[in-house]
């Protein structure tokens, strides 16, 4: 491989390996691993404590399960209720290999689809385990009373999501995340009432405490009073979600941020594959300069909606006036095998190309149609309404257009981040005692997550994986008590207080949001749907300059000792600057196209992504430093043959 221009921005360290990865026949690995993990007897569990940061599906399921098992759990979230975690926004569904439809699904097929969908950049063992426990998740949630949709015979209903040819997605109308979260939340509340879980809402983790090379606690800020608190435990779990809001505009909840995982990264936890961002094809297009949030139209809509643009650019007739033979159903044309249900990365880029070619629709030409006319005439309006009614209502409220009468307009938007803290098979980071679950870790989805697989992963981690792997770690505890005056605790606390004081002292002229917005535009322009060496190099310079200006010219009004949302945002945006720079360095290093990472220099003659398995079949795990250090974890495929993805 010739030298890489990214090397001017980083060092390269030794390769790393997942030392907890099991071997043997893939279908036995998880069971054998569980059998070989240490157990903690019930009487000893109450002597062991765990901090779980995050109450989304991953964190709530972990905290509830650990509490039920008898451990002493402290749970944290920044919202006023655990139930407001971003997971509540998930609409479309959750995958599981139940094969209720008898359409050829199996654990192996879900495993295969996920490895392929992730463009061969995920670990086989982890993905197989995910597919295995997917079936338990559905049973658990049904037992909790989650109201999954059912078909006429009473069996749970399924629909399809992108990148697969079977129907394995379980759903509760367009509110799957909300219903699943209510299930996890009620399990959590039960433990709160039982006294096994202590809940701390409106507390933001701002630092990780490391003592004797082990994660032993967190420093949090009470967001109402500003009080800085120390919490210690035998182990720490971060289930703090994804970092898509580095782009400013995304479909994520406004509060989503990277601070918890970034603070851990600064303390030594490796950050893996930061450049893998999922751009979702089915979002309501940006409507103006003053917008601060984008809205997803669930992928489930692609089951019945047909995507098209006018064949000729500049055609500004109403969609209903454009005859069939003057429309280009481009996904059905280019990818006949998967049609409108190609994976998200492929559907997003295809939409971008239509718009780049001047065939986009709506204001600014940044939109394509998602049309339900055929579905309505085939199924009737009532059935379409029953399946997607709340999504249609949401669209109508936001755009003022009636999607039953005219096609929706959609455009890709930032949606999910496959990167996150590096973890081993046990979900433990390279920092002993620090475990990471859900979207906050990097595992399972490779370079592209398939639709409806994030909820599956979050609940797999929390309900079924951590309870074993964390027990294996805790079996060696309890660890020596850490006092508040331990030098590491004092230093961590001081670092938080100093940083807050620094923000408040700058007293500059620009708002936090104006910096965030400018950073987001840089990320979107140069590290978004298409990346180039020139663009990424430029972006790193722009981010560094903007970061310098931020630290000298940001205006953070108010004081620490009260509710201060500007102060909260300043801390998050400061971390986004550092993350954004690392994302660009990671994207610059990866001179191949795979999944959500498309390098314009690396494409086939017909514009498809060109992977480079010889040089880049590895996980990039970044170590923090003035100059970040890249550690490569080589990826091996024993069961699924590495080949070019084709959905044609
Ligand atoms: C609009 C939308 C629709 C989606 N639909 C689907 C779908 O249909 N199917 C699917 O599989 N996936 C879907 N996804 C993805 C999925 O919702 C998320 O990946 C998943 O819910 C993440 O869950 P989580 O538990 O990891 O994190 P989150 O739900 O994001 O929870 C993070 C938690 O961490 C807490 N937290 C974060 N930082 C701190 C801190 N510093 N201190 C204290 N607490 C902190 C927060 O308070 C919160 O409780 C969708 C995503 C979006 C944006």
């Amino acid at each position: 491989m010739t030298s890489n221009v990214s090397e001017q921005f980083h060092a390269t360290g030794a390769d790393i390996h997942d030392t907890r990865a099991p071997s043997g026949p893939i279908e036995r690995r998880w069971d054998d691993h569980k059998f070989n993990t240490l157990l903690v007897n019930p009487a000893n569990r109450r002597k062991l404590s765990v901090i779980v940061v995050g109450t989304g599906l991953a964190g709530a399921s972990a905290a509830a399960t650990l509490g039920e098992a008898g451990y002493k759990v402290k749970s944290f979230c920044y919202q006023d209720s655990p139930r407001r975690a971003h997971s509540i926004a998930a609409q479309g569904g959750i995958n599981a290999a139940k094969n209720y439809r008898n359409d050829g699904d199996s654990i192996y097929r879900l495993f295969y689809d996920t490895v392929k969908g992730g463009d061969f950049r995920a670990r086989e063992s982890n993905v197989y385990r995910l597919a295995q426990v997917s079936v338990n998740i559905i049973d658990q949630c049904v037992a909790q009373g989650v109201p999954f949709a059912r078909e006429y015979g009473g069996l749970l209903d399924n629909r399809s999501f992108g990148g697969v040819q079977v129907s394995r997605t379980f759903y509760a109308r367009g509110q799957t995340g909300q219903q699943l979260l209510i299930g996890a939340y009620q399990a959590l509340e039960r433990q709160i009432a039982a006294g096994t879980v202590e809940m701390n809402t409106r507390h933001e983790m701002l630092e990780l405490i490391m003592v004797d090379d082990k994660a032993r606690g967190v420093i949090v800020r009470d967001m109402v009073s500003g009080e800085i608190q120390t919490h210690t435990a035998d182990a720490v779990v971060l289930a703090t979600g994804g970092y898509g809001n580095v782009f400013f505009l995304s479909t994520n909840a406004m509060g989503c941020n990277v601070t918890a995982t970034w603070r851990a990264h600064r303390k030594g936890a490796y950050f893996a594959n930061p450049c893998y961002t999922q751009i979702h094809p089915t979002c309501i297009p940006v409507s103006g300069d003053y917008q601060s949030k984008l809205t997803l139209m669930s992928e489930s809509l692609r089951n019945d909606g047909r995507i098209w643009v006018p064949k000729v650019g500049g055609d500004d007739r109403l969609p209903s006036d454009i005859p069939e033979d003057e429309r280009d159903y481009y996904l059905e044309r280019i990818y006949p095998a998967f049609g409108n249900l190609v994976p998200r990365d492929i559907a997003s880029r295809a939409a971008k190309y239509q718009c780049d070619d001047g065939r986009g629709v709506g204001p600014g030409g940044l939109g394509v149609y998602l049309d339900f006319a055929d579905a309505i005439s085939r199924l009737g309006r009532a059935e379409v309404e029953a399946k997607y009614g709340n999504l249609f209502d949401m669209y109508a409220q936001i755009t003022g257009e009636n999607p039953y009468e005219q096609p929706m307009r959609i455009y890709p938007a930032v949606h999910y981040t496959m990167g996150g803290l590096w973890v081993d098979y046990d979900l433990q980071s390279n920092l002993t005692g620090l475990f990471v679950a859900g979207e906050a870790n990097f595992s399972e989805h490779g370079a592209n997550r398939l639709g409806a697989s994030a909820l599956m992963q979050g609940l797999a981690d929390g309900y079924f994986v951590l309870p074993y792997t964390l027990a294996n770690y805790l079996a060696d505890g309890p660890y020596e008590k850490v006092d508040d005056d331990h030098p590491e605790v004092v230093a961590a606390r001081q670092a938080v207080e100093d940083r807050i004081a620094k923000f408040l002292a700058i007293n500059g002229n620009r708002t936090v949001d104006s910096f965030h917005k400018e950073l987001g535009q840089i990320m979107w322009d140069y590290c978004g749907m298409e990346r180039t060496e020139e663009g990424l190099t430029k972006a790193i310079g722009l981010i560094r300059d903007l970061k310098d200006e931020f630290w000298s010219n940001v205006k953070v009004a108010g004081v620490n000792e009260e509710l201060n949302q500007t102060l909260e945002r300043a801390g998050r945006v400061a971390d986004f600057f550092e993350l954004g720079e690392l994302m660009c360095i990671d994207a610059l290093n990866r001179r191949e196209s795979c999944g959500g990472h498309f390098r314009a220099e690396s494409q086939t003659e017909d514009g498809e992504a060109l992977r480079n398995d010889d040089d880049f079949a590895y996980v990039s795990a970044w170590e923090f430093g003035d100059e970040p250090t890249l550690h490569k974890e080589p990826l091996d495929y024993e069961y699924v043959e590495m080949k070019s993805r084709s959905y044609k």
Side-chain angles (χ1 to χ4, degrees):
M1 186 171 42
T2 53
S3 75
N4 193 334
V5 70
S6 73
E7 282 160 16
Q8 62 184 298
F9 299 109
H10 70 85
T12 303
D15 284 3
I16 54 164
H17 298 280
D18 177 2
T19 54
R20 298 291 298 163
S23 54
I26 199 157
E27 60 283 353
R28 295 261 350 128
R29 288 182 188 169
W30 175 229
D31 285 345
D32 291 348
H33 192 73
K34 274 193 293 186
F35 185 74
N36 291 323
T37 55
L38 302 175
L39 301 177
V40 182
N41 96 46
N44 286 342
R45 291 181 200 158
R46 66 182 81 99
K47 298 178 202 148
L48 293 159
S49 54
V50 184
I51 284 172
V52 181
V53 188
T55 59
L57 286 175
S61 58
T65 312
L66 294 168
E68 174 78 36
Y71 299 101
K72 273 196 299 190
V73 180
K74 281 188 179 184
S75 170
F76 296 87
C77 70
Y78 57 70
Q79 289 91 350
D80 56 359
S81 158
R83 250 198 70 182
R84 289 188 193 272
H86 158 70
S87 290
I88 204 164
Q91 303 167 349
I94 175 168
N95 289 329
K98 287 279 199 187
N99 194 29
Y100 282 167
R101 282 290 177 97
N102 261 328
D103 58 358
D105 202 10
S106 62
I107 287 171
Y108 201 88
R109 190 175 295 283
L110 174 50
F111 156 70
Y112 176 91
D113 287 345
T114 309
V115 171
K116 177 184 167 196
D119 222 350
F120 301 91
R121 292 293 176 263
R123 296 181 187 139
E124 281 190 335
S125 297
N126 289 54
V127 177
Y128 196 88
R129 172 178 66 189
L130 179 64
Q132 271 177 312
V133 303
S134 70
V135 293
N136 306 109
I137 295 172
I138 301 302
D139 296 343
Q140 166 110 353
C141 296
V142 169
Q144 287 172 345
V146 171
F148 285 121
R150 290 176 185 267
E151 32 132 288
Y152 72 97
L155 210 58
L156 299 186
D157 194 18
N158 287 145
R159 54 191 179 197
S160 298
F161 265 51
V164 303
Q165 288 173 309
V166 296
S167 290
R168 63 160 75 99
T169 305
F170 295 76
Y171 65 100
R173 262 194 151 184
Q175 313 175 340
T176 315
Q178 177 171 356
Q179 298 305 332
L180 292 171
L181 191 59
I182 289 171
Y185 164 78
Q186 69 188 10
L188 179 65
E189 282 294 316
R190 182 165 178 271
Q191 296 309 317
I192 294 170
T196 57
V197 176
E198 174 197 300
M199 186 66 232
N200 298 276
T201 58
R202 307 199 85 177
H203 280 69
E204 182 165 21
M205 171 192 158
L206 296 177
E207 200 54 88
L208 176 72
I209 300 171
M210 293 292 297
V211 175
D212 297 334
D213 291 329
K214 289 193 177 71
R216 294 301 309 275
V218 292
I219 306 287
V220 299
R221 177 173 177 272
D222 177 327
M223 294 158 76
V224 179
S225 68
E227 186 194 356
I228 307 298
Q229 303 170 353
T230 302
H231 295 266
T232 56
D234 291 302
V236 176
V237 177
L238 297 184
T240 48
Y243 51 84
N245 280 351
V246 65
F247 289 86
F248 187 69
L249 284 181
S250 91
T251 63
N252 288 7
M254 295 285 291
C256 290
N257 67 88
V258 77
T259 288
T261 49
W262 194 257
R263 296 282 115 197
H265 174 56
R266 282 180 137 264
K267 281 277 168 89
Y270 292 170
F271 211 105
N273 297 335
C275 81
Y276 291 159
T277 308
Q278 178 159 87
I279 317 268
H280 198 299
T282 332
C283 304
I284 300 181
V286 176
S287 63
D289 276 352
Y290 293 98
Q291 198 166 350
S292 51
K293 168 95 184 70
L294 292 174
T295 306
L296 173 78
M297 286 287 104
S298 166
E299 178 159 309
S300 59
L301 294 171
R302 289 200 270 145
N303 274 269
D304 288 305
R306 297 182 67 197
I307 295 176
W308 64 276
V309 289
K311 277 188 176 158
V312 178
D315 187 338
D316 55 6
R317 285 176 291 176
L318 287 174
S320 52
D321 292 340
I322 302 180
E324 274 299 309
D325 62 350
E326 291 179 41
R327 299 173 176 194
D328 182 9
Y329 294 90
Y330 57 89
L331 289 178
E332 297 170 30
R333 174 174 57 80
I334 308 172
Y335 306 101
F338 284 70
N340 293 297
L341 281 172
V342 289
R344 294 173 178 178
D345 52 338
I346 290 176
S348 291
R349 269 198 305 280
K352 176 181 186 304
Y353 293 149
Q354 305 309 315
C355 298
D356 290 352
D357 281 354
R359 301 194 293 150
V361 300
L366 290 178
V368 299
Y369 289 129
L370 176 63
D371 196 337
F372 290 86
D374 279 2
I376 291 171
S377 70
R378 183 167 37 92
L379 305 168
R381 177 173 164 150
E383 190 166 334
V384 170
E385 203 169 334
K387 276 182 164 172
Y388 310 114
N390 66 320
L391 300 172
F392 276 49
D393 289 350
M394 202 158 79
Y395 182 86
Q397 275 170 23
I398 292 173
T399 62
E401 294 166 11
N402 182 345
Y404 293 102
E405 285 166 11
Q406 64 188 95
M408 290 183 178
R409 286 176 298 105
I410 52 165
Y411 194 69
V414 171
H415 178 65
Y416 181 89
T417 44
M418 279 73 71
L421 289 186
W422 185 89
V423 286
D424 62 17
Y425 188 70
D426 283 354
L427 304 184
Q428 185 169 207
S429 72
N430 59 307
L431 298 183
T432 308
L434 178 69
F435 292 75
V436 193
E439 193 173 339
N441 72 29
F442 88 102
S443 69
E444 271 58 336
H445 308 296
N448 173 57
R449 172 177 72 82
L450 290 182
S453 286
L455 304 185
M456 172 172 71
Q457 184 222 328
L459 291 180
D461 290 357
Y463 284 136
F464 296 107
V465 179
L466 277 177
Y468 292 94
T469 60
L470 198 56
N472 183 63
Y473 175 73
L474 291 170
D476 287 334
Y479 298 99
E480 199 177 323
K481 187 172 179 314
V482 177
D483 292 322
D484 279 8
D485 57 1
H486 188 288
E488 293 294 346
V489 176
V490 173
R493 211 185 151 98
Q494 192 60 50
V496 169
E497 285 168 359
D498 290 350
R499 201 165 125 98
I500 290 173
K502 195 167 168 186
F503 285 132
L504 292 168
I506 297 171
N507 203 18
N509 293 314
R510 272 187 75 174
T511 64
V512 174
D513 277 7
S514 80
F515 281 105
H516 191 178
K517 198 169 174 178
E518 192 172 334
L519 170 67
Q521 193 63 51
I522 296 170
M523 296 303 294
W524 179 247
D525 288 345
Y526 302 111
C527 197
M529 257 189 289
E530 191 172 284
R531 296 132 184 221
T532 63
E533 182 175 297
E534 194 192 343
L536 289 163
T537 309
K538 180 173 176 190
I540 293 168
L542 291 173
I543 294 170
R544 287 180 175 173
D545 290 347
L546 193 63
K547 183 171 70 176
D548 288 347
E549 194 198 333
F550 173 84
W551 280 105
S552 60
N553 194 26
V554 72
K555 169 94 182 166
V556 182
V559 295
N560 173 56
E561 290 71 27
E562 63 183 16
L563 179 70
N564 187 340
Q565 292 191 316
T566 312
L567 180 61
E568 290 162 22
R569 283 205 290 271
R572 296 171 189 173
V573 172
D575 291 335
F576 277 144
F577 272 117
E578 295 180 10
L579 166 76
E581 190 177 322
L582 187 66
M583 288 170 74
C584 293
I585 294 173
D586 188 40
L588 195 57
N589 168 63
R590 196 166 278 279
R591 288 181 302 166
E592 65 163 349
S593 296
C594 59
H597 170 65
F598 189 80
R599 282 285 296 260
E601 302 92 344
S602 185
Q603 51 183 309
T604 61
E605 273 174 9
D606 50 357
E608 298 292 342
L610 186 61
R611 249 185 19 234
N612 174 354
D613 293 334
D614 291 340
D615 297 321
F616 292 99
Y618 61 77
V619 173
S620 304
W622 294 93
E623 180 182 350
F624 183 79
D626 286 341
E627 181 187 57
T629 300
L630 170 64
H631 299 273
K632 301 174 185 173
E633 181 201 328
L635 290 165
D636 295 320
Y637 292 89
E638 241 183 284
Y639 288 85
V640 186
E641 189 196 344
M642 281 177 109
K643 50 187 178 191
S644 294
R645 280 194 308 165
S646 170
Y647 294 93
K648 288 194 167 168

